[in-house]
Amino acid sequence: MKKHYVLSLILIMIVLPIISACLSASVSADNKDVMETQNTQTTKPIVENITPPEQPEVKNLGNGRFQIGNIIIDEDKKEVVVPGNLHMLEGPIEFIACTKGGMKEYESVLEMETDAISFNLSMILLGLDPNKGKAAAYHFDPSAPDGDGVEISIQWNTDKGIKTIRAQELIHDMNTGKPFPADHWVYTGSVFLEDGQYLADLAGVLIGFVHDPASIIESHFSGKFPGYGTYVVNKNHLLSVGDEIRMVIRPIKAHISEEERTGN
């Protein structure tokens, strides 16, 4: 009797882990199916198994000046200066500036010597408030993004001195023959995804004008965008790809109101 009891215990000890493992595998498979279904249904891009980038180092240069990589923040002048170069002259464009080697460089006029994390941090040090930022809901969203207003100028050296233009003057509208109608730009701060990744960093985007959620700075333009290929580079300014430039960003107002945006 005792012998049979011992054998029964041994049998239970062997069988229970096997049953438990089978049940665990079944539950894991079911959970995987559920997760795959949820991932299929979500409209937000999710990037898996990527470690969030470290925050860049901020160097205090003294006299109200700070440096993040190649970016200089001047608190007294209330400006951020970012070096870069003319990236393209031919083809359709949707962005004023991308990061160094950014994914969207094929649609960007300028390539800047920085990354999205550093650029965004420089905007915060400039005094722009990410809590006021409202990125576009989707690409070509007709509703204007929101946030602290900034002005953007592009500078480069010539034989006659420093040439300065507004950022929107780089954009030529094929339909109207005029520059892109953006009087103001707004700091949206881009978007953080559900997994903690920064969309601007993933897309390699800094400044856009057709309302892309990835842009850290966007145009405040409100209205329907024309077809793809309407906007190209204005060739009346910079002469050749690779020309070195400096982008200067200054805050203009803490917030652009709905009345200012629509003109009503």
Side-chain angles (χ1 to χ4, degrees):
M1 183 73 176
K2 185 176 181 180
K3 182 178 180 181
H4 289 300
Y5 176 74
V6 171
L7 288 175
S8 299
L9 286 177
I10 294 175
L11 183 61
I12 291 172
M13 292 174 66
I14 295 174
V15 172
L16 275 179
I18 296 175
I19 295 174
S20 177
C22 292
L23 289 173
S24 177
S26 176
V27 170
S28 297
D30 290 341
N31 287 339
K32 183 179 179 181
D33 290 339
V34 171
M35 290 300 296
E36 288 177 350
T37 301
Q38 290 175 341
N39 289 338
T40 302
Q41 292 174 340
T42 183
T43 58
K44 297 181 180 180
I46 301 298
V47 180
E48 297 179 351
N49 301 324
I50 295 182
T51 303
E54 296 180 1
Q55 288 296 319
E57 179 185 1
V58 179
K59 297 181 181 179
N60 189 342
L61 304 179
N63 298 319
R65 298 173 73 245
F66 299 88
Q67 182 174 359
I68 305 175
N70 295 311
I71 304 175
I72 301 296
I73 304 101
D74 193 317
E75 289 186 337
D76 293 336
K77 292 183 178 180
K78 299 295 183 185
E79 68 179 26
V80 165
V81 180
V82 190
N85 61 79
L86 177 64
H87 180 67
M88 61 182 290
L89 281 171
E90 304 293 339
I93 56 173
E94 295 188 347
F95 302 94
I96 290 289
C98 68
T99 62
K100 183 71 174 178
M103 185 176 72
K104 292 290 188 177
E105 63 180 358
Y106 66 96
E107 294 176 319
S108 180
V109 185
L110 306 174
E111 181 182 56
M112 310 309 294
E113 295 290 332
T114 187
D115 59 83
I117 300 292
S118 298
F119 183 81
N120 185 56
L121 181 56
S122 74
M123 296 297 101
I124 295 173
L125 290 178
L126 185 62
L128 305 181
D129 188 352
N131 292 322
K132 293 179 180 178
K134 180 183 177 183
Y138 53 89
H139 201 60
F140 295 123
D141 183 357
S143 299
D146 206 356
D148 285 342
V150 297
E151 61 178 15
I152 308 169
S153 59
I154 311 299
Q155 301 177 347
W156 66 96
N157 298 327
T158 70
D159 295 337
K160 298 180 180 179
I162 298 176
K163 173 75 172 179
T164 303
I165 63 172
R166 299 179 303 164
Q168 50 266 46
E169 294 180 66
L170 290 173
I171 310 167
H172 179 74
D173 187 327
M174 297 283 285
N175 290 341
T176 65
K178 298 178 180 180
F180 184 75
D183 294 328
H184 295 95
W185 303 82
V186 291
Y187 167 66
T188 68
S190 188
V191 176
F192 283 91
L193 305 180
E194 291 179 354
D195 61 357
Q197 294 295 302
Y198 190 41
L199 186 56
D201 189 49
L202 297 177
V205 168
L206 299 177
I207 303 172
F209 60 91
V210 295
H211 299 177
D212 191 294
S215 301
I216 297 174
I217 294 177
E218 260 291 351
S219 69
H220 85 290
F221 173 82
S222 178
K224 184 178 180 180
F225 286 95
Y228 181 77
T230 299
Y231 301 115
V232 296
V233 180
N234 186 347
K235 299 179 182 179
N236 294 328
H237 299 295
L238 295 163
L239 299 178
S240 59
V241 171
D243 283 353
E244 294 182 352
I245 60 91
R246 295 177 300 279
M247 177 182 290
V248 182
I249 303 171
R250 300 183 180 94
I252 49 176
K253 285 187 179 181
H255 200 64
I256 292 179
S257 67
E258 183 68 21
E259 290 76 16
E260 288 175 302
R261 233 189 352 257
T262 60
N264 296 327

